[in-house]
């Protein structure tokens, strides 16, 4: 990198707002350069942004719009990328002119790239683009073909540089730089063209050939543009004049090789960007006849009446003469015996007489050699089963025969094909099964399906021949689905349908069935038609008894003598026309409600029965015996209740009511007239004589005197009992409700030794009456928490005597008043119960039975905890004693001794 020659530069005078270019003019150099600019003095460098740009191609500094702060001296710094040395140019003064400010103008592109930029494969390409203008232009990039930039592309909009690393074929194309401001826009375009020098992808290898052999060497290279190829021999251009030497797109072929072809060959692949060489050596040798690597087959099998080829492939160079003999006699060619050009022997229409030992003799100028092998003639294989045609029904099982006559010394191989595809037994479900023996290839098709119809071929193969036979199988089954089911016309209650017939599966169609589905139905339902049944040739029908204003889908099923097939695809949803409603609400009733109310209830009409949009109800009512009807409209189709409130309505008075229907088409019918009662008044008196008695630790009994009906306006439907603990608030009281004239209730699941408060009130459909006075009760102490222990037993004949320790109650428990002894024949049957006040009991039990016994104490607080189960084994006329096990956490079993005629069994 040399020094700059010029030491001084003239000032550059510009107006404010004008664009300016400061030239660098680098000195003579070798190697790649980079450029920077110093503003005034080192180390203040010019920072590149949307307004200032330093070209790394020319070194020039570009200022898109000069501002007063830009005034000063600018120095170009050039750095050699190889030597890392730098030199500075002379300062360039930038001075503002005083004769005005530059007005706005459209962008003018000063830095642009060539129209065509060749780029090498895998290299880095940088395109520069910068414009002067006022206001400062913005720079943007795009591909002309509209393809998006890849992730690897670095788009530096501030400095106007587009960088594409690792350039590939897909990056080639037309690129456009656009400069734009408020005054206008300008653009430049350039094409990036991809190139690559040749790179070998396939090259010839050293090879050794024999005389008269053929050489084929392939030489391939990748390049852009495509390379050309040429071949050299020993460094000299190859002579293409000989007919036996051919070169085609890098492939070298030399036929009939001789010793003169020996040498070193070079392939040259080249384009305008480079060339590449590859070398390979060719050696050509002479060989005397030799069978060591290709002996004649020791045994060759042939079919009687067929053809056979006995191959003879000795290794020799150059190619010599081949002759044949059978036994010791030379073979002469005839119409049945022919020696082929490659030396092999072909025999036609083979007979038993052709069997024997055959010898191939090979000769050339370097020697003689021979090889022998035996020919065996076998009987031909024939299939004795005739070709056939089977007609079957879906679900049947059939056997396809394949009986064979063959040479007994040969093994048979049977292969079955279905529609030209091999049948893999065992992998195609359980349909196909081999049932033939050694000389038969019969197969069975179980539970045949429609998909099994077609051509079945049995192929038989031996070592000498192969034969085959075909059977056509026709499978009859239910029809296929009808096609193109569509609705052609809709009325309020009917639909006209049409369809096309599907496959009949080899059985004529007998009839059709039509099914319909709505959003309200449970799946598909068979529907009625004008003509029933629908004959097999009928392709249209009218469906009847449909509901108005409902979306319907229809499908068609065909039937033949085999059965009913799959349904067609559903038709498009189509809605029937609207009409007056025909269905009235069901279960019209009423009663109850608040004071001065008449409550009328009904079961809403289902949507599919409403007949059209705008559906609602007309509620009509009148006092029993009156003439005129009062009416009210209820507009909600889901409504199930109407309340008429009027202070003049007497309590619990009979009314006649009926509910009608309407929609946008008009009014429909009314339901039958029924009688209901207006709302009654709630009870006005509180129950009296409320009595409470503690039954046990967890139960109390409550009784009271019933209220009489004060008049017809106030019924008593039952009573509500409210109770709560002494630590609870009345608002949190539990409620027990009775019905009818019941005057007592037993409350369970209470806590022992606890105080409870209670009150009672009557109720009817209008509500509840006033509460009675509050009473309280204290539950009894809890029963004993200890179970009976130390239970002893003995048996004698049919009697069982039980003894146990007394259970003692704790201080907070009620005293034991007795015991319940429960016994049964097993753990699952219902036990018998005996009560006693003692700690012993004698039971009379039938013999020959095992018994399970439990004992529990009881007191005024209720029943205590049961003992463990005791199993007493059956005893036949003997004496046995035992004791219950101590509580060790094991299941209840019996330990004891049983004395039987002097023997002890443990």
């Amino acid at each position: 990198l040399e020094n700059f020659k010029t030491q001084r530069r003239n000032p550059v005078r510009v107006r404010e707002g004008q664009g300016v270019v400061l030239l660098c003019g680098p000195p003579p150099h070798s190697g790649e350069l980079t450029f920077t600019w110093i503003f005034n003095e080192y180390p203040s460098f010019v920072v590149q942004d949307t307004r200032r740009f330093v070209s790394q191609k020319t070194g020039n500094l570009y200022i898109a719009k000069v501002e007063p702060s830009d005034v000063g001296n600018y120095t170009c710094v050039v750095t050699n990328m190889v030597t890392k040395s730098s030199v500075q140019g002379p300062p360039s003064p930038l001075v503002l002119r005083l004769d005005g400010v530059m007005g706005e103008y459209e962008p003018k592109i000063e830095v642009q790239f060539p129209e065509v930029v060749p780029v090498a494969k895998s290299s880095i390409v940088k395109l520069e683009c910068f414009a002067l203008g006022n206001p400062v232009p913005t720079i943007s990039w795009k591909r002309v073909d509209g393809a998006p930039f890849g992730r690897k592309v670095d788009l530096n909009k501030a400095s106007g540089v587009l960088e594409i690393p690792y350039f590939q074929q897909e990056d080639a194309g037309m690129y456009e730089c656009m400069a734009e401001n408020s005054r206008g826009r300008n653009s430049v375009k350039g094409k990036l063209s991809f190139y690559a020098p040749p790179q070998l992808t396939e090259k010839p290898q050293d090879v050794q050939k024999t005389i008269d052999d053929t050489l084929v060497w392939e030489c391939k290279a990748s390049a852009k543009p495509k390379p050309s190829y040429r071949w050299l021999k020993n460094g000299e251009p190859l002579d293409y004049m000989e007919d036996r030497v051919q070169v085609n797109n890098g492939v070298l072929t030399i036929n009939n090789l001789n010793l003169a072809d020996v040498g070193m060959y070079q392939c040259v692949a080249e384009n305008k960007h480079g060339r590449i060489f590859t070398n390979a050596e060719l050696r050509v040798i002479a060989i005397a006849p030799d069978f060591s690597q290709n002996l004649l087959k020791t045994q060759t099998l042939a079919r009687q009446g067929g053809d056979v080829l006995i191959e003879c492939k000795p290794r020799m160079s150059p190619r010599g003469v081949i002759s044949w003999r059978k036994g010791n006699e030379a073979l002469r060619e005839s119409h049945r015996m022919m020696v082929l050009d490659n030396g092999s022997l072909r025999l036609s229409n083979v007979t038993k007489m052709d069997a024997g030992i055959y010898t191939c003799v090979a000769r050339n100028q370097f020697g003689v050699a021979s090889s022998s092998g035996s020919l065996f003639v076998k009987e031909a294989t024939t299939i004795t089963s005739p070709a056939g045609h089977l007609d079957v029904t879906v679900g049947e099982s059939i056997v396809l025969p394949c009986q064979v006559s063959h040479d007994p010394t040969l093994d048979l191989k049977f292969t079955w094909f279905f529609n030209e595809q091999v049948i893999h037994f065992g992998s195609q479900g359980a349909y196909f099964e081999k049932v033939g023996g050694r000389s038969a290839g019969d197969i069975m098709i179980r539970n045949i399906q429609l998909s099994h119809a077609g051509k079945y071929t049995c192929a038989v193969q031996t070592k000498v021949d192969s034969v085959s036979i075909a059977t056509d199988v026709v499978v009859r089954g239910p029809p296929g689905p009808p096609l193109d089911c569509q609705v052609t016309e809709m009325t309020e209650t009917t639909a006209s349908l049409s369809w096309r017939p599907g496959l009949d599966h080899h059985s004529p169609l007998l009839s059709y069935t039509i099914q319909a589905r709505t959003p309200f139905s449970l799946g598909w339902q068979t529907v009625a038609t004008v003509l029933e049944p629908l004959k097999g040739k009928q392709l249209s029908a009218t469906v009847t008894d449909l509901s108005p204003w409902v979306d319907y889908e229809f499908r068609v099923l065909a039937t033949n003598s085999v059965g009913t097939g799959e349904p067609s695809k559903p038709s498009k949803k189509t809605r029937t026309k609207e009409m007056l409603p025909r269905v009235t609400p069901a279960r019209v009733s009423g009663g109850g409600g608040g004071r001065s109310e008449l409550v009328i209830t009904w079961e809403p009409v289902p949507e599919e029965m409403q007949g059209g949009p705008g559906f609602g109800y007309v509620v009509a009512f009148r006092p029993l015996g009156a003439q005129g009807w009062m009416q009210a409209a209820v507009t909600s189709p889901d409504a199930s209740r109407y309340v008429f409130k009027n202070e003049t309505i007497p309590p619990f008075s009979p009314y006649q009511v009926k509910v009608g229907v309407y929609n946008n088409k008009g009014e429909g019918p009314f339901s039958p007239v029924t009688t209901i009662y207006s709302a009654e008044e709630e009870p006005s008196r509180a129950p009296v004589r409320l009595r409470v008695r503690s039954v046990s630790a967890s139960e109390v009994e409550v009784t009271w005197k019933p209220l009489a009906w004060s008049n017809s306006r106030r019924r008593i439907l039952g009573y509500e009992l409210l109770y709560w603990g002494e630590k609870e608030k009345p608002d949190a009281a539990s409620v027990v409700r009775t019905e009818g004239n019941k005057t007592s209730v037993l409350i369970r699941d209470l806590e022992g030794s606890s105080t409870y408060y209670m009150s009672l009130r009557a109720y009817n459909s209008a509500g509840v009456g006033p509460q009675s006075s509050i009473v309280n009760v204290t539950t009894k102490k809890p029963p004993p928490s200890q179970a009976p222990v130390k239970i002893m037993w003995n048996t004698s004949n049919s009697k069982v005597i039980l003894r146990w320790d007394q259970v003692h109650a704790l201080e907070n428990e009620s005293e034991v008043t007795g015991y319940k002894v429960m016994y049964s024949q097993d753990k699952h049957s219902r036990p018998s119960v005996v009560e006693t006040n003692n700690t012993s009991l004698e039971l009379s039990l039938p013999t020959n039975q095992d018994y399970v016994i439990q004992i529990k104490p009881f007191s005024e607080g209720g029943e205590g905890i049961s003992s463990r189960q005791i199993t007493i084994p059956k005893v036949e006329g003997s004496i046995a004693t035992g004791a219950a096990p101590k509580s060790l956490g094991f299941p209840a079993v019996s330990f004891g001794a049983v004395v039987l005629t002097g023997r002890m069994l443990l």
Side-chain angles (χ1 to χ4, degrees), residues 207-211 213 283-296 311-322 342 360-371:
V207 69
Q208 178 176 290
K209 294 284 186 178
T210 60
I211 296 175
D213 205 347
R283 295 188 297 274
V284 180
I285 60 174
I287 303 174
D290 179 19
F291 281 95
S292 61
Q293 296 181 5
N294 288 298
L295 292 171
L296 256 68
E311 292 186 337
C312 178
K313 295 182 178 180
R315 186 167 181 259
M316 58 181 176
S317 178
R319 180 90 180 153
V321 178
I322 291 180
N342 63 4
C360 175
V361 182
R363 295 180 177 84
N364 69 6
Q365 60 264 45
F366 299 103
V368 180
S370 65
S371 180

Side-chain angles (χ1 to χ4, degrees), residues 647-691:
E647 297 298 331
T648 63
I649 297 178
F652 207 66
S653 299
Y655 275 78
Q656 289 183 313
V657 297
K658 60 181 179 179
V659 181
V661 290
Y662 69 91
N663 61 19
N664 289 349
K665 282 287 187 179
E667 291 190 11
F670 277 91
S671 67
V673 176
T674 187
T675 301
I676 65 173
Y677 285 83
S678 61
E680 59 188 338
E681 295 179 348
E682 63 271 10
S684 60
R685 291 184 296 155
V688 296
R689 296 186 187 178
L690 183 64
R691 302 286 186 266

Side-chain angles (χ1 to χ4, degrees), residues 806-826:
Q806 172 74 35
V807 175
H808 297 285
L810 301 178
E811 183 178 350
N812 62 339
E813 297 173 346
S814 53
E815 291 296 330
V816 175
T817 57
Y819 298 89
K820 288 185 178 181
V821 179
M822 298 163 287
Y823 60 93
S824 60
Q825 294 180 3
D826 56 60

Side-chain angles (χ1 to χ4, degrees), residues 253-298:
T253 304
I254 304 178
N255 298 309
N256 301 322
L257 290 171
N258 56 53
L259 296 175
D261 295 322
V262 172
M264 186 67 73
Y265 290 75
Q266 296 84 34
C267 171
V268 184
E270 56 190 338
N271 65 10
K272 63 181 180 179
H273 302 292
R275 69 175 58 144
I276 193 167
F277 292 80
T278 183
N279 305 319
E281 182 183 3
L282 171 63
R283 295 188 297 274
V284 180
I285 60 174
I287 303 174
D290 179 19
F291 281 95
S292 61
Q293 296 181 5
N294 288 298
L295 292 171
L296 256 68
K297 288 177 63 176
T298 305

